Amino acid sequence: KKLVDEATEMCTAAQKMDTAHPDFYLMRLAELAIAREKYDDALGLLKQARTANPKDPEIKELYQKVESKKIEKMRTKYYDVLG
């Protein structure tokens, strides 16, 4: 977790310095959010990345994967509640 937090800080700092490639950094930040299982955060970042670069197929693909992971996590929580 600590490494993911450090990587997030570094990526955020790099994003502020390199404003020419927002989609790249948004994708990296989304991947780090996925590593923390923060799927809503990842989806928000990927929406921003799609706005910055709507034709990038990698963004669309990752967005779909995150949606699937989010649904899977919700399903797992649901069955955990049922016992």
Side-chain angles (χ1 to χ4, degrees):
K1 181 181 184 271
K2 184 179 179 183
L3 291 175
V4 173
D5 291 342
E6 288 176 16
T8 300
E9 287 178 26
M10 292 172 64
C11 190
T12 301
Q15 180 186 26
K16 290 176 183 174
M17 289 185 274
D18 180 12
T19 57
H21 305 96
D23 53 316
F24 174 82
Y25 294 103
L26 291 165
M27 283 278 290
R28 302 298 78 79
L29 289 167
E31 290 167 344
L32 292 164
I34 294 164
R36 291 189 315 270
E37 295 187 1
K38 300 287 186 181
Y39 301 123
D40 288 330
D41 293 348
L43 291 172
L45 290 162
L46 290 167
K47 284 179 185 177
Q48 292 177 50
R50 271 198 324 208
T51 299
N53 189 355
K55 295 184 187 219
D56 187 333
E58 289 182 44
I59 297 170
K60 182 178 180 181
E61 182 181 329
L62 186 56
Y63 190 91
Q64 291 170 341
K65 285 181 182 178
V66 175
E67 282 186 320
S68 295
K69 285 180 178 278
K70 180 181 174 182
I71 291 168
E72 182 181 317
K73 185 177 179 180
M74 289 170 40
R75 190 175 293 137
T76 301
K77 282 185 177 182
Y78 174 75
Y79 287 114
D80 286 346
V81 169
L82 291 179

